[in-house]
Amino acid sequence: MTLDRSSLLGLVILVAVLCSGCGPSAKDRLIGRWQGTIEVDDTKVQQKLDEAGNNPIKQAIAKKFIEAIKQGTMDFELKADGSFTSSVRLGPLTKDTYGNWKVLTDAGDRITVQLTDHNGQTNQPTLAFADDGAFAVEAEGEASEFAVFRCRRVKTTGE
């Protein structure tokens, strides 16, 4: 049996399509416990402080805000049943919540999820995966100017 070019091309495309579905789904990649820390761009932090000018009150508020961001952490678990729990800490402030999650889009290393907390508030972050399985999420609000969340899977005993 001989294959002509169009048959060979069709076979290559079929193999590529079949293999693209061989890896774990976006949901499977996300299920588990994760810990996140906030990384800041020091140059952009300095720009933020410079924006406060010589006003001592604005300077103090900006410094406290940046200090809280630098100390920020996020712990969360995405469960196979579509539920989640999370705890976010920014300086002395803590927010614990729970709710439901689902994958909205899967573009390989960029996955957008929808988180709906127990109060009905919805958030749709896009997670950018790195080679080591960790991912980054852009911070929201004013912190997005100079900060990014970096999240790593938490290994539990027995894994």
Side-chain angles (χ1 to χ4, degrees):
M1 177 176 143
T2 60
L3 293 175
D4 63 8
R5 278 193 164 169
S6 62
S7 296
L8 186 57
L9 179 61
L11 182 61
V12 169
I13 291 172
L14 177 64
V15 169
V17 169
L18 291 175
C19 288
S20 69
C22 294
S25 71
K27 184 174 181 178
D28 290 338
R29 288 178 71 187
L30 292 170
I31 292 171
R33 290 183 50 222
W34 298 85
Q35 285 184 332
T37 55
I38 299 176
E39 295 178 6
V40 297
D41 180 326
D42 290 328
T43 303
K44 291 182 180 178
V45 167
Q46 188 57 52
Q47 289 173 350
K48 186 74 173 166
L49 290 172
D50 292 345
E51 287 174 11
N54 293 329
N55 183 320
I57 294 173
K58 285 184 179 181
Q59 279 282 330
I61 291 170
K63 285 180 182 178
K64 282 294 185 186
F65 177 71
I66 291 166
E67 182 181 308
I69 293 296
K70 285 184 174 184
Q71 295 173 5
T73 62
M74 176 172 49
D75 298 307
F76 60 98
E77 183 173 8
L78 300 174
K79 300 175 185 174
D81 68 0
S83 65
F84 79 89
T85 58
S86 74
S87 180
V88 177
R89 287 177 212 82
L90 292 176
L93 304 174
T94 301
K95 180 181 180 185
D96 296 325
T97 193
Y98 59 91
N100 296 304
W101 73 282
K102 66 181 176 180
V103 173
L104 293 179
T105 62
D106 177 3
D109 287 338
R110 294 185 63 80
I111 299 171
T112 301
V113 296
Q114 178 174 300
L115 304 165
T116 304
D117 73 13
H118 63 283
N119 292 320
Q121 292 183 325
T122 300
N123 187 8
Q124 295 182 348
T126 297
L127 318 176
F129 274 83
D131 291 338
D132 61 359
F135 62 82
V137 181
E138 288 185 10
E140 294 182 357
E142 205 170 328
S144 67
E145 297 173 26
F146 57 86
V148 64
F149 274 111
R150 298 263 182 228
C151 300
R152 298 201 179 282
R153 186 178 301 278
V154 177
K155 299 290 184 188
T156 58
T157 305
E159 285 188 65

